Amino acid sequence: MKTETLRWLPAALALAVSAVQAADETPRDGKSEYLARAAELRCIAGETVLLAVPLPNDLQIDYDAASGHLRVFYPMQFNDLTEGWNWHPEEVAAGRDYYTFKYLPLGSTTESRGSGRLTGLDGKPIEYPVEWRFDYFLAFDNPYEFYPRDAGEQAGFTAEIALPAAAAQRLAAGDLRMAVSARLAEKCLSDSTTFWKATISKPVDFTLKKRYLIGKLAEVRFYDAATGQTLVRLSSRAPR
């Protein structure tokens, strides 16, 4: 674990707390939440839901021993939602984003759907697997209530947490978790399907289904998986 101060941490975005808060409700699994709502076609505008967000491989986490702060940065620079319904070329001329909605991955599942056969160049049959993957996301259109629009490489959720070194080391080793609170839109469900047919050069049938819960981001939380206690909350504020 490094001990130097992180230069990428924007002080204006950092939020420090001296003690953990009380344990909160358990964040919901994104897949289960989507499937339950899709089964009932249930969307209530403004309803708040707390969702677990898996931490990405490029999460930046470091401990500054001098100040006793654990610093966490979840990058968002390239998290543009590129579905057709989020294309807004007219917004660019007005100085706004082409992709209004950003996304947070909520998890993925894969399924084997049997196998198929095709004929190779030598006339012999080639058996190939049929695979499906389901990716789940939270799509939201108010990212700049959490970080500046022009933040560049520093676009993302930044938190600074006052902790003893031992606790910080434990969290960095795997106990740190993230959750977000979102206010759902009136039309809170969307999905898309992309299919790749098996070929001789790539003998696999692959179907990708992307499924979205849609709304506005209200709060970002980092919490301790061992205790369930919230370490820090990042609340939405006026766009910057």
Side-chain angles (χ1 to χ4, degrees), residues 12-220:
L13 293 180
L15 179 59
V17 291
S18 58
V20 296
Q21 301 172 25
D24 289 299
E25 64 179 297
T26 301
R28 304 177 189 177
D29 171 68
K31 172 190 172 183
S32 300
E33 187 69 18
Y34 178 93
L35 293 176
R37 291 181 179 274
E40 302 173 5
L41 295 178
R42 176 166 51 92
C43 289
I44 301 174
E47 181 182 359
T48 300
V49 60
L50 184 65
L51 300 168
V53 177
L55 294 175
N57 292 331
D58 58 351
L59 181 80
Q60 297 180 31
I61 181 169
D62 217 321
Y63 186 67
D64 179 21
S67 65
H69 286 154
L70 180 70
R71 295 170 177 175
V72 182
F73 177 68
Y74 184 110
M76 286 289 294
Q77 185 179 13
F78 301 110
N79 286 35
D80 294 318
L81 196 158
T82 57
E83 299 287 0
W85 53 267
N86 195 38
W87 296 350
H88 303 286
E90 73 284 354
E91 294 292 301
V92 178
R96 293 184 287 268
D97 289 356
Y98 186 98
Y99 299 112
T100 301
F101 281 82
K102 311 302 178 184
Y103 70 85
L104 285 168
L106 301 178
S108 298
T109 60
T110 58
E111 294 182 9
S112 176
R113 294 287 183 101
S115 62
R117 284 192 176 189
L118 54 78
T119 301
L121 296 176
D122 57 2
K124 296 181 179 180
I126 299 175
E127 187 170 352
Y128 60 83
V130 177
E131 299 176 355
W132 287 42
R133 192 176 86 200
F134 300 85
D135 290 345
Y136 296 85
F137 305 90
L138 172 67
F140 58 98
D141 63 354
N142 62 326
Y144 306 129
E145 294 178 12
F146 292 86
Y147 54 85
R149 183 177 185 275
D150 60 356
E153 292 183 359
Q154 293 182 345
F157 306 111
T158 305
E160 184 173 321
I161 309 161
L163 285 171
Q169 185 173 14
R170 176 178 59 79
L171 289 165
D175 280 346
L176 185 68
R177 295 290 188 275
M178 178 176 171
V180 296
S181 176
R183 297 186 300 272
L184 297 179
E186 182 179 2
K187 297 181 179 179
C188 70
L189 301 170
S190 183
D191 65 89
S192 67
T193 302
T194 307
F195 172 68
W196 289 267
K197 185 173 178 58
T199 64
I200 293 174
S201 61
K202 193 172 183 180
V204 58
D205 260 12
F206 184 72
T207 297
L208 173 62
K209 287 188 172 288
K210 294 184 178 180
R211 293 170 164 175
Y212 301 95
L213 289 166
I214 303 172
K216 289 186 178 295
L217 199 59
E219 187 178 73
V220 175

